[in-house]
Every structure is written in structure tokens, then in C-alpha cells.
């Protein structure tokens, strides 16, 4: 290696990792057509540059610790693909990313083994890239301080700490990045000079603060394990753990060093106490209860029991979860929030075998690397090993590596912990040729298919943008046909085309209606477990006058998403239109069981069957108070509310009822304050409807009939 090559490679790698975690390998980068195409173009340039460089400098191929596990993983995926042919498109999508990570592994190992990179420089590149993530994370905190904290201080909304996502867009993925970077920074800092250690120390404190605010308990546990592993390794870096060694080492340090370490220890205790407080409060935070994942874990175990040998196929867990849970209202998830459970569900016993082999090989290799390393190298290696431990523990309880940026972050830590460095014995003979053909062939296949997919995805996004900017829904749907012809097994293209044709049909284009129906029929054939396809197909068939088929499709939708009151209500309407009053009443009853306040909808009174059911409906305390106020029974409303309010969630409807009670008493200022709270916490269409009704009542009380009418229109639109 020339003296210029190493710094240049490190600078380019740092820039590439910064782009990766800032945009390129995030969900934003994957779903934004221009960024996705740019990423593929950069990947072509980087891979071509690496291959040219290694040829000109005469690099040799080396065996890697994961050669055998990689082959076992590919065999497991292949077996699962053969036994789950109906899901081949999803499986190949997941396989592309698996092969990408394999290609990155071989490229990085190649650079370390041939001396183009040193272990600490690879780790340093990711730590430097992490400064961008830190900056954006704290900018989000600044925004919270400027916008949300004043509302908290004014009593408008309840106190709740922010959960930053930074460039990664989600607190859980941010925590997965930080929990790897923190141990890597410790390893880099051990080999750095004093100023470098000071800067890294500041970055570490900021990273831990940001990690705590993510409320990711799996990442907190991963960090504790990482710090434990790092501490044990550093105490034993010279080959043995001596309980008296720390005391003797402390006595040899200057007062300045002792002061620095004491301050760091105090900060550590403060952060641990903060972590404990956040852990306790997170158990009662909305959307953070422990029991929310038990259903997902149970689905994974059920999927494994149904297909224990080879699973349901790579990247198919989302389909299994849709089959097991009502979506909506439950949120779709593409993974089981646990690597072992996800592997069991998607790849079965053969996948669990590959996972077990990988863990054994990784552990044995790290032990061998540690024993062979010099004391200086151990200081760096300890950080890499701790980062791998943190990544592994976190992924027992979550799976943020579904985002490529996080998977690549973990890959950097794994390479730093396992890769052979300069001096390793290169391959020779047929093994060299086999490795070269395999790795280069893998990259060629990845780049060709990746570019092909990115180009057609650009056409797909352009068609949607055309529809948005012109309102020419038929023209946009026809533009999608080229994409569908190229990749007919991609279900999302069919549902988008059906939606566009459906929009055109809703504007009176009769020719678009059968096309919309045809597109949705193709979609539900490919993805029968997602209720929204059946719902829209039912609506289109009803519009076409095919009421029998529309009712049948709506039954399919309700079967897949039985916990959605709107779907039950719609099914009741379809059944009632068919004269099936018994079935209609059953559907309406189910809608009321899910949403008792549905009787307050204007549409409810439009049906005699529904009107007869109103007296039997058990409305919420919010709705009962609302109706009492409507009939000027203020004292009854206040008595009811005083009794019920302590046990109610402080959501939009809660604040609206409080506003109406204040308004009934002539307290306009309190009413306005409560309505601001209702708007601030609104997160669902029902929430926004309640807030709009409250605004309408306040506007009417002030004599502004126009504003009141507009607010009521907004409320109706929210729940139509």
C-alpha cells in the first residue's frame, strides 16, 4: 500500500458511511426514487473502484471466518424458497439485501486483510459518520424545547419527554445505531491521544443521553452488556484479571487524570439513574407497554409451528402477522422484533441451524482474535467485541436491522471484531479463483438487479407524482402499466394502479371503474391477507352495481380486520342494502361494541334499523356528557364527568368535553385552553373529529357561524 492510499480509502469510507446513515440506507433513502437511484450509482462507482484498486495493487483473496456460515445461510434460504414458491417475490427481495451485506462483508475484510485499512480506522470512520446522526438528533430536541415544552409548561398537553429519531427517522433505529457506535468510540478512544479522547468523551456523553431518550429498552440492555463486556476485557487485556490491579493503577495516575475519571464516573451514575427513571416511566407511556409485543412473538411461534422445517420464507413475516392480527387497527410490522423468533418463523429449523452455527463461529473467532492480539490492539478490539455484543443483545428484543443502515452498522462492528488483518495467510490455487469468481459475480448480480429495480421504481414514483400534480389519474394509471409489465409480481404496483383508476371512477369516468376492479382483484389475489384491498374492491363493486359481490368482498375484509368499527359499519350497510337485516344488525352491533360513540355520527340516523338500535347503545362517558350538554342538563353532565374523568385517558375527546363543560359555564378562556390541548394530542381521525366539533361549538358561542360550519365540515370529513 502507498502512503496516500490508506488515508484516501479511510476518507472515502467515512464519507460513504456518513451518506449511508444520513440518507442512503435509511427508509427515506429507499423510498425516495432519486435518492435510491443515486445510492445505486454510488454503489456501482465504489465497487468498481475497489475492484480496480485491488487489481492494480495486487491484493490477494483471504479466507474469512464466516465463509462456511454464509454458505449455510444461503442454503437455508434456498431450501425455504423451494418450499414456499408462492412467496418467491418477497423472498427474492429479502435475498437481495442479504447478498448485499455478504458483499460488504467480503469487501471490508478484503481491505483489512490487504492492509488498506486498519481496524481502528474502520471503527473511527463509523464513529465520525455518527456525528451527523448526533447533530440531527439534538436539533430535534431543540425543536421539542421550542414547540412542545411551552405547551407542557402552559398545561396544554401532559409532560412527555421527546423520542428523537434523527436521520434514521425512528427512535428504535436510532438506538440501534448508537448502541453500536458507543462501544466502538470507547475502542477508538483507547488508542487516541488526549485531545481525541476528550472529543470522544463528549460525543459518548451526548450519545448516551440521546440513547436514553429513545426509550428503547432493548438498546439500554444492549449497552449495559456492552459496557460489562468492555470492562471485563479491558481489565483482562494483559492476560489476567487481578482484583488489586485497578487500585495500583489508580495510585499511579496524576491528580488531573483522577479528577477526569471521577467526573466521568459521576456522570455515569447520573445517567444510570436517569435510565432507571425512564425505564419505569416507559412502562406506562402510550404505545410502550411490554405486552404490546407478546402478540407479535406469539405470531412468530405460531408461524414456526405451522412450517417448522423451512419456515414461510425470507421477508414474509409481515404477511403472517397480517393473517394473525386485525390490520387496521393494529400496526403492520415486517419483522418479529426478535432475531431468533424471526428466523424461526421465516426459515424454520434450517435457519435456526444457520444462526446457531454463526453464533458459535463468531464467538470462537473473537476469542481467538483476542488471544492473538497485542496489548495495544486489545484496547481497540475490546470496543469492537463490545459493539457486537450490544448489537446481538439488542436484536434479541427488537429487529431494527431491517433498516439497511442498521444492518451495515452491525456489519462494520462484526468486521472490526472478526476480520483477519495484515499478515493473514492468503488463499492459493483454485480457492483463490473460486473466491474471486464468487465475490465478483455476487457484486455484478447485485448491481445489475439493483439498478434495474431502481430505474423501474423511479418510473413508479414518477407516475404517482404525475397523478398528484395533474389530477390525470387515468394517465398516471396507464403509466404504471409499463412498471407492472416489467415486474407483475410486485403487489404494490397493482394496488396503486387500482387506486388511481378508482379515483378517476369517483369523478365519473365510467371506463376507469372496470379497470380499477381488475387491478384490485389482481392485488387481493397476490396479497389476500391485507384487508384494505378487499375494502376498496367492495366499494368499487358497489359503485358498479354488483351488490352481491360487493357484500362478499366486504365480508372478506371484516374476516381479516374484525377490530375496525368502520369496516363493520360498512358491512352492515351492504347487508342492509341486500335485505339481510339480521346480518346487518349483527354487523352494526359489532361496530358499536368497538366504537360505542358511532351512534353520534350523522349517518347513523339515516337508517331505521340503526335508529332502533340507538337506545341500546352503551356510549362512552365522553359521548354521554356531550349529549347531556346538548339537552341543557349541565348539572347531570358535570356529575357524570366528575365521576368518570379520573379513570379516563387524557386524549382529544377528554379535553373537548372539559372545554364544553367550561363553555357551558361561560368560561371561554378555559374552553380555548382545553381545545388547544385537544388539537395538540390529536393523532387519529376520531381525535381530529372531536377537536373540530369542539372548535365548532366555541365558534358558535362567539357568534361566528361561518367558522362553526367550517369546523363541523372538517369533523364530518374526518370520520366519513
Amino acid at each position: 500500500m502507498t502512503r496516500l492510499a490508506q488515508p484516501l480509502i479511510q476518507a472515502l469510507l467515512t464519507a460513504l458511511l456518513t451518506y449511508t446513515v444520513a440518507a442512503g440506507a435509511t427508509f427515506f433513502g429507499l423510498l425516495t426514487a432519486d435518492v435510491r437511484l443515486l445510492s445505486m450509482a454510488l454503489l456501482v462507482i465504489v465497487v468498481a473502484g475497489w475492484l480496480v484498486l485491488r487489481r492494480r495493487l495486487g491484493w490477494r483473496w483471504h479466507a474469512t471466518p464466516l465463509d462456511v456460515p454464509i454458505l449455510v445461510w444461503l442454503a437455508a434460504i434456498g431450501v425455504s424458497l423451494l418450499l414456499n414458491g408462492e412467496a418467491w417475490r418477497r423472498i427474492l427481495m429479502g435475498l437481495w439485501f442479504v447478498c448485499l451485506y455478504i458483499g460488504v462483508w467480503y469487501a471490508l475484510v478484503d481491505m483489512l486483510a490487504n492492509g488498506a485499512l486498519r481496524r481502528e480506522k474502520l471503527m473511527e470512520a463509523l464513529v465520525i459518520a455518527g456525528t451527523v446522526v448526533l447533530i440531527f438528533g439534538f436539533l430535534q430536541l431543540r425543536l421539542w424545547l421550542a414547540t412542545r415544552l411551552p405547551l407542557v409548561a402552559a398545561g396544554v398537553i401532559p409532560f412527555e419527554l421527546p423520542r428523537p429519531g434523527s436521520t434514521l427517522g425512528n427512535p428504535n433505529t436510532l438506538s440501534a445505531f448508537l448502541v453500536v457506535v458507543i462501544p466502538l468510540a470507547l475502542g477508538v478512544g483507547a488508542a487516541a491521544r488526549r485531545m481525541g479522547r476528550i472529543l470522544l468523551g463528549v460525543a459518548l456523553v451526548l450519545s448516551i443521553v440521546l440513547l436514553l431518550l429513545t426509550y428503547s429498552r432493548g438498546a439500554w440492555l444492549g449497552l449495559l452488556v456492552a459496557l460489562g463486556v468492555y470492562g471485563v476485557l479491558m481489565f483482562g487485556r494483559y492476560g489476567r484479571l487481578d482484583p488489586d490491579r485497578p487500585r495500583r493503577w489508580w495510585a499511579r495516575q496524576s491528580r488531573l487524570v483522577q479528577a477526569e475519571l471521577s467526573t466521568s464516573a459521576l456522570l455515569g451514575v447520573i445517567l444510570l439513574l436517569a435510565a432507571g427513571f425512564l425505564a419505569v416511566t416507559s412502562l406506562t407511556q402510550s404505545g410502550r407497554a411490554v405486552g404490546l409485543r407478546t402478540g407479535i412473538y406469539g405470531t412468530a411461534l405460531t408461524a414456526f409451528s405451522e412450517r417448522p422445517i423451512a419456515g414461510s420464507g425470507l421477508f414474509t413475516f409481515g404477511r403472517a402477522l397480517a393473517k394473525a392480527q386485525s390490520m387496521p387497527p393494529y400496526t403492520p410490522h415486517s419483522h418479529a422484533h426478535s432475531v431468533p423468533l424471526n428466523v424461526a418463523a421465516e426459515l424454520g429449523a434450517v435457519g435456526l441451524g444457520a444462526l446457531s452455527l454463526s453464533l458459535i463461529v463468531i464467538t470462537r473467532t473473537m476469542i481467538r482474535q483476542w488471544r492473538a492480539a497485542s496489548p495495544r490492539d486489545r484496547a481497540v478490539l475490546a470496543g469492537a467485541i463490545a459493539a457486537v455484543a450490544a448489537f446481538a443483545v439488542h436484536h434479541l428484543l427488537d429487529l431494527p436491522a431491517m433498516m439497511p443502515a442498521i444492518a451495515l452498522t452491525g456489519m462494520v462492528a462484526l468486521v472490526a471484531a472478526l476480520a483477519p488483518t495484515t499478515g493473514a495467510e492468503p488463499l492459493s490455487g483454485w480457492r483463490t479463483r473460486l473466491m474471486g469468481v464468487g465475490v465478483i459475480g455476487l457484486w455484478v448480480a447485485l448491481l445489475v438487479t439493483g439498478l434495474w429495480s431502481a430505474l423501474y421504481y423511479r418510473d413508479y414514483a414518477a407516475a404517482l407524482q404525475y397523478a398528484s400534480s395533474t389530477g390525470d389519474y387515468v394517465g398516471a394509471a396507464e403509466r404504471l402499466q409499463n412498471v407492472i409489465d416489467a415486474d407483475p409480481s410486485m403487489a404494490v404496483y397493482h394496488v396503486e394502479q387500482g387506486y388511481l383508476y378508482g379515483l378517476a371512477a369517483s369523478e365519473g369516468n365510467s371506463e376507469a371503474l372496470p379497470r380499477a376492479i381488475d387491478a384490485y382483484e389482481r392485488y387481493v389475489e397476490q396479497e389476500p391477507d391485507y384487508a384494505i384491498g378487499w375494502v376498496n374492491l367492495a366499494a368499487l363493486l358497489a359503485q358498479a352495481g354488483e351488490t352481491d359481490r360487493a357484500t362478499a368482498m366486504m365480508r372478506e375484509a371484516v374476516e381479516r380486520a374484525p377490530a375496525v368499527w368502520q369496516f363493520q359499519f360498512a358491512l352492515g350497510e351492504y347487508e342492509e342494502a341486500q335485505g339481510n337485516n339480521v346480518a346487518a344488525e349483527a354487523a352494526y352491533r359489532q361496530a358499536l361494541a368497538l366504537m360505542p360513540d358511532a351512534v353520534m355520527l350523522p349517518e347513523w340516523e339515516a337508517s331505521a334499523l340503526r335508529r332502533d338500535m340507538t337506545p341500546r347503545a352503551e356510549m362512552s362517558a365522553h359521548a354521554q356528557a356531550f349529549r347531556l350538554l346538548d339537552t341543557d342538563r349541565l348539572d347531570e353532565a358535570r356529575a357524570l364527568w366528575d365521576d368518570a374523568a379520573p379513570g379516563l385517558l387524557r386524549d382529544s375527546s377528554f379535553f373537548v368535553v372539559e372545554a364544553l363543560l367550561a363553555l357551558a359555564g361561560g368560561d371561554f378562556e378555559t374552553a380555548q385552553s382545553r381545545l388547544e390541548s385537544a388539537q395538540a394530542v390529536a393523532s387519529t381521525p376520531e381525535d381530529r373529529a372531536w377537536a373540530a366539533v369542539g372548535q365548532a361549538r366555541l365558534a358558535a358561542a362567539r357568534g361566528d357561524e361561518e367558522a362553526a360550519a367550517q369546523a363541523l365540515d372538517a369533523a364530518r370529513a374526518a370520520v366519513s
Side-chain angles (χ1 to χ4, degrees):
M1 288 293 299
T2 65
R3 291 185 177 181
L4 179 62
Q6 276 191 349
L8 180 61
I9 289 174
Q10 185 188 358
L12 290 173
L13 182 61
T14 302
L16 190 61
L17 287 174
T18 301
Y19 172 76
T20 296
V21 299
T26 65
F27 290 142
F28 165 80
L30 291 176
L31 298 176
T32 305
D34 291 339
V35 177
R36 182 169 171 176
L37 194 56
L38 173 63
S39 299
M40 284 306 308
L42 286 174
L43 194 58
V44 170
I45 294 170
V46 169
V47 172
W50 163 59
L51 293 175
V52 169
L53 183 65
R54 74 178 318 281
R55 182 175 180 83
R56 292 195 62 176
L57 296 178
W59 291 359
R60 304 283 299 277
W61 291 106
H62 294 73
T64 80
L66 296 183
D67 288 345
V68 173
I70 284 171
L71 291 176
V72 174
W73 275 112
L74 292 176
I77 295 170
V79 170
S80 185
L81 174 60
L82 289 174
L83 296 179
N84 296 284
E86 74 284 355
W88 70 270
R89 187 62 182 85
R90 279 176 172 263
I91 295 172
L92 289 185
M93 193 186 308
L95 180 60
W96 190 92
F97 284 98
V98 169
C99 290
L100 174 67
Y101 306 143
I102 293 172
V104 170
W105 162 263
Y106 279 109
L108 290 177
V109 168
D110 189 51
M111 287 188 277
L112 264 75
N114 286 287
L117 268 179
R118 298 201 309 274
R119 190 193 318 274
E120 63 267 28
K121 295 302 180 184
L122 173 62
M123 296 162 60
E124 186 180 296
L126 186 60
V127 172
I128 293 172
T131 58
V132 175
V133 177
L134 278 180
I135 290 169
F136 277 91
F138 278 96
L139 284 175
Q140 290 175 351
L141 295 187
R142 181 176 175 272
L143 181 64
W144 178 84
L145 291 170
T147 59
R148 302 284 290 184
L149 190 58
L151 296 177
V152 172
V156 173
I157 59 175
F159 176 77
E160 191 172 272
L161 287 171
R163 294 189 68 213
S166 188
T167 60
L168 300 166
N170 182 283
N172 291 329
T173 50
L174 173 60
S175 71
F177 177 76
L178 294 173
V179 81
V180 172
V181 168
I182 289 170
L184 292 182
L186 287 171
V188 171
R193 296 179 179 179
R194 170 161 295 193
M195 183 54 67
R197 288 201 299 270
I198 292 173
L199 292 174
L200 283 168
V202 173
L204 279 171
V205 172
L206 295 176
S207 297
I208 293 173
V209 169
L210 211 57
L211 176 61
L212 291 177
L213 289 175
T214 64
Y215 274 87
S216 176
R217 292 160 297 209
W220 296 347
L221 180 60
L223 181 62
L224 288 176
V225 171
L227 294 177
V229 169
Y230 182 79
V232 169
L233 291 176
M234 289 301 288
F235 277 127
R237 62 189 289 197
Y238 295 103
R240 60 192 178 90
L241 287 172
D242 182 356
D244 197 45
R245 185 183 294 274
R247 184 188 61 78
R248 297 197 302 269
W249 175 85
W250 178 266
R252 293 196 300 269
Q253 305 309 308
S254 67
R255 290 187 180 277
L256 178 61
V257 171
Q258 289 179 348
E260 290 176 350
L261 292 173
S262 298
T263 303
S264 299
L266 179 61
L267 283 172
V269 171
I270 293 172
L271 290 172
L272 281 174
L273 291 174
F277 170 76
L278 292 176
V280 173
T281 58
S282 72
L283 296 175
T284 57
Q285 190 181 40
S286 177
R288 303 291 296 158
V290 175
L292 290 175
R293 288 190 182 170
T294 56
I296 296 176
Y297 293 159
T299 299
L301 292 173
T302 300
F304 175 62
S305 67
E306 291 175 350
R307 299 190 179 186
I309 303 301
S312 59
L314 188 68
F315 199 50
T316 61
F317 181 78
R319 178 184 285 180
L321 191 63
K323 186 182 294 185
Q325 294 187 352
S326 176
M327 296 182 187
Y330 290 106
T331 304
H333 292 276
S334 58
H335 57 81
H337 288 78
S338 170
V339 164
L341 290 176
N342 203 81
V343 170
E346 294 187 350
L347 298 178
V350 291
L352 290 174
L355 179 63
S356 301
L357 175 63
S358 301
L359 293 175
I360 293 170
V361 170
I362 289 169
T363 303
R364 292 180 62 181
T365 304
M366 288 193 297
I367 293 172
R368 187 166 59 248
Q369 291 273 67
W370 179 258
R371 289 174 176 171
S374 66
R376 182 191 177 282
D377 288 340
R378 284 184 174 183
V380 177
L381 186 59
I385 293 174
V388 172
F391 187 84
V393 170
H394 187 191
H395 280 74
L396 290 174
L397 303 172
D398 203 351
L399 218 170
M402 189 63 69
M403 178 185 285
I406 303 304
L408 293 170
T409 297
M411 183 61 68
V412 169
L414 197 63
V415 170
L418 303 185
T421 53
T422 307
E425 186 69 25
L427 295 172
S428 59
W430 65 269
R431 296 179 66 193
T432 298
R433 292 189 293 274
L434 181 62
M435 178 71 79
V437 170
V439 174
I440 294 173
L442 175 68
W443 273 113
V444 169
L446 282 169
L447 296 177
V448 170
T449 55
L451 280 172
W452 174 84
S453 177
L455 288 169
Y456 277 109
Y457 184 81
R458 182 190 59 180
D459 293 343
Y460 160 74
L464 299 185
Q465 179 61 38
Y466 174 78
S468 176
S469 60
T470 66
D472 180 9
Y473 301 124
V474 171
E478 289 173 345
R479 291 186 178 202
L480 276 181
Q481 192 59 47
N482 181 49
V483 181
I484 291 172
D485 291 340
D487 193 1
S489 297
M490 183 66 82
V492 68
Y493 296 157
H494 298 289
V495 74
E496 292 287 5
Q497 187 183 51
Y499 189 73
L500 291 171
Y501 277 132
L503 289 174
S506 69
E507 294 180 347
N509 189 326
S510 59
E511 294 182 359
L513 184 56
R515 296 180 183 181
I517 292 171
D518 179 62
Y520 268 105
E521 286 177 337
R522 294 196 305 269
Y523 173 71
V524 297
E525 182 180 358
Q526 292 186 5
E527 295 290 350
D529 298 312
Y530 292 94
I532 196 66
W534 297 100
V535 170
N536 285 345
L537 179 56
L540 291 166
L541 289 168
Q543 186 176 344
E546 299 185 45
T547 53
D548 289 344
R549 289 188 62 203
T551 304
M553 297 303 102
M554 201 64 215
R555 289 172 189 153
E556 294 279 358
V558 166
E559 181 181 345
R560 286 159 177 79
V564 186
W565 71 266
Q566 294 96 330
F567 291 0
Q568 298 284 357
F569 185 91
L571 176 60
E573 288 189 308
Y574 286 130
E575 297 283 12
E576 189 175 2
Q578 290 287 98
N580 304 327
N581 286 355
V582 174
E585 183 173 349
Y588 290 142
R589 287 186 183 282
Q590 188 60 32
L592 289 176
L594 295 166
M595 182 63 172
D597 298 346
V599 295
M600 298 178 68
L601 293 171
E603 293 88 349
W604 188 267
E605 297 296 319
S607 160
L609 179 61
R610 293 195 293 267
R611 287 196 301 272
D612 290 341
M613 297 174 64
T614 301
R616 289 171 280 169
E618 296 182 3
M619 294 184 292
S620 68
H622 312 74
Q624 291 180 53
F626 190 92
R627 287 205 162 179
L628 288 171
L629 287 170
D630 259 7
T631 54
D632 295 324
R633 290 183 284 175
L634 178 58
D635 291 338
E636 291 181 55
R638 281 180 174 159
L640 169 71
W641 193 248
D642 289 342
D643 183 56
L648 297 176
L649 180 69
R650 266 54 174 173
D651 58 5
S652 293
S653 58
F654 177 91
F655 289 118
V656 168
V657 173
E658 296 238 311
L660 295 179
L661 287 168
L663 192 60
D667 188 351
F668 282 71
E669 183 178 348
T670 299
Q672 181 63 49
S673 174
R674 293 295 185 269
L675 288 176
E676 289 174 0
S677 299
Q679 290 176 319
V681 300
S683 60
T684 67
E686 290 85 357
D687 289 343
R688 291 188 287 274
W690 271 101
V693 168
Q695 290 292 345
R697 293 300 175 92
L698 180 60
R702 287 174 170 167
D704 191 345
E705 295 300 330
E706 182 179 353
Q710 291 176 349
L712 282 177
D713 287 342
R716 293 190 185 98
V719 292
S720 64

